[in-house]
Amino acid sequence: MAAEGGGKEMNEIKTQFTTREGAYKLLAHSEYSRPNRVPFNSQGSNPVKVSFVNVNDQSGNGDRICFNVGRELYFYIYKGVRKAADLSKPIDKRIYKGTQPTCHDFNHLTATAESVSLLVGFSAGQVQLIDPIKKETSKLFNEERLIDKSRVTCVKWVPGSESLFLVAHSSGNMYLYNVEHTCGTTAPHYQLLKQGDNYAVHTCKSKSTRNPLLKWMVGEGALNEFAFSPDGKFLACVSQDGFLRVFNFDAVELHGTMKSYFGGLLCVCWSPDGKYIVAGGEDDLVTVWSFVDCRVIARGHGHKSWVSVVAFDHYTTSVEESDPMEFSGSDEDFQEQVHFGRDRANSTQSHLSKRNSTDSRPVSVTYRFGSVGQDTQLCLWDLTEDILFPHLPLSRTRTHTNVMNATSPPATGSGGSGSGGSGGVGATVITAVNNPSTNGSNNGGPNAPGNPLPMPLPRSNSLPHSAAASTANSKSSVMDNAIASGVSKFATLSLHDRKERHHEKDHKRNHSMGHISSKSSDKLNLLAKTKTDPAKTLGTLLCPRMEDVPLLEPLICKKIAHERLTVLIFLEDCIVTACQEGFICTWARPGKVGLLSSQNQANSPSGTVV
């Protein structure tokens, strides 16, 4: 299944691979790198990362790409599958001394053809705000390293905000900044705002408002990556202590946790509807965690080394309606749930229009996600309804990943069901509503522990999970209420509103913490000793045994580079990957390769990455 064309040349770099929707092909002439195209000597350097932004210019070619290689940072027009890359003309190029860029993120809300806001994190702990179009450097945060001296591991703009951004460090701390504020000339003093299971959040104590607004201390060891939920209300963090922690970002509260099978977790991502989180790391696995049930629902094994990036493919995730769809909950709930991915909302259509019946029934749904690792392999995975809803009668196994609703626009792609290459018209995303009766069911529960899964049949042998039954219903209803009421708009308040809100809330929050502060600190000390012991968590809901959850096999698993892979991004007409040698590769989706191959032989074997 994962092998194609035999295993005679294991070290051969693949330049195309085929899934049920058709063939994905590497476009050799769309490869981005340093202008000299010389492989970068990656020893001891930070991972190559890629960021995209669309500046909506009139030419129709508004995509821009930023990537870091060693001490260098490049900003190009990204031509994707349309035209060959012209590496001789970067819009902006920067070379840093004494520190290296480690990560970066564009503000999609404020981007125009004349100006973009790009945050860049560095190995020495600073964060720079630059405009690569105007070629300006407007601000440097943590310049004197008084806030944190450790490497920046992840930086992201807070969704929906033009001024707030979040920065994670290898110290295990995260900081919330406002671009309008200064960082001060002395080290910040903090006041406890909230603490819980192995995390604490502090506010910055000063007479005048300064950065950072908040300091999060999360887990033990480095905080390797975080990701905001599609609606921007929740934050998933993965740490070197092996824990996934999901917070309500506005309320600064822990929603749920998960422990890796082994070692640290390195990467995390959300499904397009915010129902599932996938994490990867040093256990060589991808782990699928249910946001609603707060439990592991599947693991995927295909990589032979650490998993460095996981990402959902918004454009191949699909839904098939068999009956008229009926879902429980109010229309207001649903509108909030569906409002995901502010910059993707226009490209991703939902067929769900009604949620007004108490008789909820999941429909045929497939989530597509991918992973890349230090083993230089790309894996693609399908998460199907037999895994998502194991207690229900399985629907007939489908032969197409992307079975589209009859009302959706026709696909134009050339291969398979075609919608993978249909320019997003078939990119339907479902909010997979959990069936209350399913959660409370104990069908087959006793069989679960002593019935290991046959390895080659992972998708038709989903085991029931009765252990979570008692808490799932209450957890689900609490979460629905929390989401529906909006909790608080902490992360998206304007500066003035936020300041006033702080004064109102501080008394209440600190007062409520007073009753449990001594208990919490005891708990923290206890957790420091117990939670990090793998023997204590293995076999629990935090970290089920391998035989207790379905094991996914990859749809495809291909070696696509000579050096470890550090980037995986799904775009509308292509997939973008990058390796530590500094080569950023574009893989045309099925039916999209012809856009470029008429000008040059993009299909030729010369597409091998060297």
Side-chain angles (χ1 to χ4, degrees), residues 436-451:
S437 64
T438 299
N439 288 339
S441 144
N442 270 332
N443 296 342
N447 300 332
N451 197 6

Side-chain angles (χ1 to χ4, degrees), residues 174-197:
M174 272 191 309
Y175 304 90
L176 180 68
Y177 288 83
N178 187 320
V179 294
E180 309 297 334
H181 297 172
T182 62
C183 290
T185 54
T186 57
H189 293 280
Y190 296 104
Q191 179 177 349
L192 181 67
L193 174 66
K194 191 167 287 191
Q195 68 180 18
D197 290 356

Side-chain angles (χ1 to χ4, degrees), residues 62-74:
D63 290 327
R64 303 290 181 267
I65 183 173
C66 171
F67 57 91
N68 60 290
V69 182
R71 296 184 298 119
E72 302 162 15
L73 188 75
Y74 293 94

